[in-house]
Amino acid sequence: MSAFLTPLKIEQIAIDRWKLLEPLVYESDLLGCRITVPVGFITDMESVPRWLPIVYALLYGEAHAAGVLHDYLYMVHKIGVPNGS
């Protein structure tokens, strides 16, 4: 089952920015790989459209680790899947 293998440990460094204090490791069954977000990675965590304020308020804090993983994958443009060519 896909899961985060380490807890999210972050430090707020600005009003909307956080720094990863320890590696964040995610095991993906779908991709068949392990993804590690490195120490020191800077994230805004959850970029949620503000037209969903009620939904965001209800779920606040539930997706921090997923938000960090998303930001990292978006930044590096890779997912760790071996190249088939």
Side-chain angles (χ1 to χ4, degrees), residues 5-17:
L5 303 179
T6 58
L8 178 62
K9 298 208 177 179
I10 54 174
E11 168 185 51
Q12 190 168 9
I13 59 172
I15 194 164
D16 63 346
R17 294 288 183 262

Side-chain angles (χ1 to χ4, degrees), residues 11-79:
E11 168 185 51
Q12 190 168 9
I13 59 172
I15 194 164
D16 63 346
R17 294 288 183 262
W18 289 262
K19 178 172 71 172
L20 203 57
L21 299 176
E22 294 184 14
L24 180 64
V25 181
Y26 181 75
E27 183 78 34
S28 173
D29 290 343
L30 178 66
L31 300 174
C33 68
R34 186 173 287 184
I35 302 164
T36 301
V37 183
V39 170
F41 179 71
I42 306 296
T43 179
D44 67 356
M45 289 209 289
E46 302 162 10
S47 301
V48 177
R50 294 301 167 206
W51 51 269
L52 289 173
I54 294 172
V55 174
Y56 183 72
L58 292 172
L59 298 175
Y60 181 75
E62 297 298 315
H64 287 331
V68 172
L69 179 64
H70 168 270
D71 287 353
Y72 176 71
L73 293 174
Y74 183 81
M75 186 192 81
V76 299
H77 300 290
K78 65 180 180 179
I79 55 174

